[in-house]
Each structure stands twice: as structure tokens, then as C-alpha cells.
């Protein structure tokens, strides 16, 4: 759990990505059995999704070429990459040409996760298999991420949805290619177009406002959210419980 590699790869005078706070100013590692999670859609040399779990005071990260899936029949390759600072979670924007990871970054999903089982998240990571439950804006339910043994450089894991109420056979990630932060598409982010909806500060805040013309699938999601907003106290309590 260290950020040296993250810092070494970047030139903070040139990239809008966050520079980690000095060690002594960083948030204490959470003792909660879970934390926040973030997924970014990153149109770099190759399009991929960056899947990040808050563990031990950093964002433990995997690059997932095809992105996560809600279909339990699908196993997604996930390359374990360097830890990122917690501040990176909300990052959305453009990394300039010539810099590490140059390209547009979309905040694709965010929420909280709860570790499944008694074993702390750090120990599950070390053994190469971590089970967790997501409560996010696009993803929900149980997942496992497991290291593949005896393959390549040893950084190859698989991200798999477990069968539960959150499972959606045939789920297609391309039906959900918009930012949970700004409502923008990847192209709109790349072109620095303005946000289409109000930014929200926390995963438990149901006060978001949708002002864009979206595809039907996204509109029905907005309608669902509006229904949820009718019981904001319940939604908030659920988010907090899940975090603990
Ligand atoms: Mn990336």
C-alpha cells in the first residue's frame, strides 16, 4: 500500500490528476470492513476501465480491459496496477498528450463496498482472492476478484459477478457509457464539454438532477433514482450500513 509508483509515473506540473498529500496528512486507513469504490472509463492507448477499492488508505486498483459485468457467466481479465491516492476516486478529465495514461477519464461508477467474510480486505488481497458486495450507481451485488495462478507476470486477476439479485444475464456495459459525475459521454469529456447534471458529493446523496436527453436505458435509471429519492432517509441509512 504505497504511492511511490503512482508518483514516479506522473509529472504533476503537466497532468490534472491529483498529487498525493504528504504521508502525514493522508487520511488514516479505514478500519471499516469495506470502503468506497470507484470505476473510471479510461480512453488511453486502449480503452479500459480502472476498478478501484479503498483499502488500507489507498485505492487498490485493477485495469479491466472490457470492464466489469453484471452477468455471472462473464469472467473479466483485470490487471493489478499501482495503488492510487484516495483523491483520485472522483477524478474525471483529460490527461494531456505525452503524459502517462494520456487520454480522457470518465467517472463511470462509484459507491461503497462491503467485504464479505471475516478476513480483513488486506489479507484477502494477499491470498489473491477478495469477495465483496458493491452498492453503487450502476453496479450492485456480490463480486469476487481472484488472482490467476501461474500466469504471465502474476498481476492477472479475474473479476466475476456472483449469482444474486444484482445479477443481470446479458448485461452490456456499452449501454451504460456515461459519467455518474457529469452525465457526459467519453467524447464530451474529451472535448471538455460542460457537465450535464449537477455534481453530487456522496454516494448517499439522492438529490441529483438529470437535465440531459439520454438514451432510454439511462432515462429509466433516472426514473428509478427519482423513486428512490422519495425515501431519502432509508437510502442514506442503507449506504451507511453498507460502509460499516
Ligand atoms: Mn487507466
Amino acid at each position: 500500500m504505497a504511492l511511490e509508483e503512482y508518483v514516479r509515473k506522473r509529472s504533476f506540473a503537466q497532468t490534472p490528476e491529483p498529487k498525493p498529500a504528504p504521508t502525514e496528512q493522508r487520511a488514516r486507513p479505514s478500519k471499516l470492513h469495506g470502503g468506497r469504490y470507484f470505476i473510471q472509463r479510461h480512453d488511453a492507448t486502449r480503452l479500459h476501465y480502472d476498478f478501484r477499492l479503498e483499502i488500507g488508505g489507498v485505492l487498490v486498483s485493477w485495469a479491466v480491459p472490457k470492464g466489469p459485468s453484471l452477468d455471472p457467466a462473464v469472467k473479466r481479465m483485470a490487471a493489478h496496477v499501482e495503488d492510487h491516492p484516495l483523491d483520485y476516486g472522483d477524478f474525471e478529465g483529460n490527461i494531456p498528450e505525452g503524459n502517462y495514461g494520456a487520454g480522457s477519464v470518465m467517472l463511470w461508477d462509484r459507491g461503497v463496498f462491503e467485504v464479505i467474510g471475516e478476513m480483513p480486505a488486506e489479507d484477502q488481497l494477499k491470498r489473491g482472492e477478495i469477495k465483496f458486495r458493491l452498492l453503487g450507481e450502476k453496479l450492485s451485488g456480490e463480486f469476487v476478484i481472484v488472482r490467476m495462478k501461474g500466469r504471465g507476470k502474476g498481476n492477472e486477476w479475474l473479476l466475476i459477478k456472483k449469482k444474486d439479485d444484482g445479477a443481470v444475464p446479458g448485461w452490456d456495459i456499452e449501454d451504460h457509457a456515461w459519467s455518474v459525475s457529469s452525465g457526459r459521454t467519453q467524447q464530451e469529456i474529451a472535448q471538455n464539454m460542460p457537465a450535464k447534471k449537477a455534481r453530487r458529493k456522496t454516494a448517499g446523496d439522492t438529490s441529483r438532477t438529470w437535465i440531459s436527453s439520454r438514451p432510454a436505458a439511462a432515462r429509466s435509471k433516472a426514473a428509478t433514482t427519482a423513486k428512490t429519492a422519495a425515501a431519502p432517509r432509508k437510502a442514506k441509512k442503507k449506504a451507511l450500513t453498507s460502509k460499516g
Side-chain angles (χ1 to χ4, degrees), residues 29-88:
S30 170
K31 291 201 165 50
L32 297 172
H33 208 43
R36 291 171 295 166
Y37 84 89
F38 303 92
I39 302 174
Q40 279 139 336
R41 189 178 193 269
H42 186 183
D43 192 11
T45 312
R46 279 188 183 170
L47 180 70
H48 62 273
Y49 292 74
D50 290 297
F51 183 83
R52 311 189 194 280
L53 297 176
E54 178 185 9
I55 297 174
V58 296
L59 295 175
V60 176
S61 299
W62 290 264
V64 186
K66 292 184 177 175
S69 179
L70 288 179
D71 187 342
V74 166
K75 294 180 171 66
R76 286 287 155 81
M77 186 71 75
H80 189 202
V81 297
E82 75 273 16
D83 296 338
H84 279 52
L86 294 181
D87 283 350
Y88 205 93

Side-chain angles (χ1 to χ4, degrees), residues 209-232:
T209 312
W210 292 77
I211 53 174
S212 67
S213 55
R214 306 196 152 280
R219 269 203 306 276
S220 71
K221 159 112 186 170
T224 308
T225 305
K227 262 184 243 162
T228 311

Side-chain angles (χ1 to χ4, degrees), residues 135 204 206 228-229 231-240:
L135 179 66
T206 51
T228 311
R233 290 180 64 190
K234 195 179 170 191
K236 195 168 185 181
K237 191 176 174 214
K238 195 176 172 192
L240 289 172

Side-chain angles (χ1 to χ4, degrees), residues 86-155:
L86 294 181
D87 283 350
Y88 205 93
D90 278 321
F91 177 73
E92 178 170 286
N94 292 294
I95 303 172
E97 279 303 315
N99 289 274
Y100 178 73
S104 57
V105 178
M106 170 198 288
L107 183 54
W108 184 83
D109 195 21
R110 65 183 159 192
V112 293
F113 75 98
E114 178 184 27
V115 176
I116 297 171
E118 294 295 307
M119 193 186 284
E122 283 95 334
D123 295 342
Q124 295 200 27
L125 267 182
K126 273 181 216 148
R127 85 175 162 175
E129 181 175 343
I130 177 165
K131 294 190 179 117
F132 50 88
R133 190 175 293 115
L134 298 182
L135 179 66
E137 298 185 37
K138 293 180 182 172
L139 302 184
S140 66
E142 291 185 23
F143 287 78
V144 62
I145 186 160
V146 58
R147 186 164 54 215
M148 298 173 76
K149 294 189 179 85
R151 284 262 322 230
K153 293 174 281 184
N155 69 335

